């Protein structure tokens, strides 16, 4: 798809424009929850949250490339669709984890803000 002002893919991990507004909505929620968490903790804990969040982004992006490869669609209308749906589903799942950390600060610190690598959307984790 085209990358006009309504779909600047260079600002997202997406490959197609079709999922852009859905992704931006999920990403906005995730970022708002991350901001709440980042204001609730001291410098050391915040450093760990940042580190884990960077690890999650790398994991999400790599996992979604795998999902696209497994989909068997590397050209035509379906190219990139599985990848982008994966990005959105995993972003939503991480956002829910951050919400859980906001609601349960003790659990958040105990779990060190770690992310789950299990997701119903991922074939190999079902």
């Amino acid at each position: 798809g085209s990358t006009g002002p309504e779909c600047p893919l260079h600002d997202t991990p997406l490959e197609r424009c079709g999922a852009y507004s859905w992704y931006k909505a999920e990403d906005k929620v995730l970022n708002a929850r991350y901001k709440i968490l980042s204001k609730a903790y001291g410098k050391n804990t915040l450093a760990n949250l940042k580190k884990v969040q960077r690890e999650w982004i790398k994991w999400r992006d790599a996992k979604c490339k795998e999902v696209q490869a497994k989909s068997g669609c590397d050209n035509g209308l379906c190219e990139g669709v599985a990848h982008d749906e994966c990005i959105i589903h995993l972003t939503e799942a991480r956002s829910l984890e951050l919400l859980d950390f906001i609601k349960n600060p003790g659990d958040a610190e105990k779990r060190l803000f770690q992310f789950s690598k299990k997701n119903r959307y991922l074939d190999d984790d079902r």
Side-chain angles (χ1 to χ4, degrees):
S2 69
T3 55
E6 71 288 342
C7 179
L9 294 180
H10 59 276
D11 288 339
T12 76
L14 300 180
E15 295 181 357
R16 300 165 54 96
C17 286
Y20 181 77
S21 59
W22 183 16
Y23 168 77
K24 287 306 280 185
E26 290 298 337
D27 190 54
K28 187 176 180 180
V29 173
L30 181 139
N31 285 319
R33 290 173 178 169
Y34 179 87
K35 196 171 184 179
I36 290 167
L37 277 172
S38 69
K39 289 180 178 178
Y41 294 96
K43 201 158 70 170
N44 289 343
T45 305
L46 179 57
N48 187 60
L49 172 61
K50 284 181 180 176
K51 178 172 118 357
V52 172
Q53 200 63 9
R54 283 192 299 267
E55 289 169 1
W56 171 76
I57 290 168
K58 284 181 188 167
W59 172 81
R60 177 198 65 186
D61 292 354
K63 188 54 78 171
C64 291
K65 281 184 181 149
E66 283 177 33
V67 165
Q68 184 62 44
K70 286 180 185 174
S71 77
C73 183
D74 57 7
N75 59 36
L77 289 176
C78 64
E79 185 177 5
V81 171
H83 170 273
D84 289 358
E85 286 184 359
C86 172
I87 291 283
I88 293 163
H89 285 292
L90 296 186
T91 299
E92 179 185 34
R94 181 59 176 164
S95 180
L96 289 171
E97 285 177 336
L98 295 185
L99 178 61
D100 193 44
F101 292 150
I102 291 166
K103 290 179 178 177
N104 304 290
D107 189 45
E109 289 195 72
K110 191 167 70 184
R111 288 180 51 202
L112 300 173
F113 305 104
Q114 287 299 321
F115 55 94
S116 172
K117 292 185 178 181
K118 296 203 178 298
N119 187 286
R120 59 187 167 75
Y121 185 76
L122 303 173
D123 289 336
D124 56 338
D125 291 330
R126 282 194 185 133

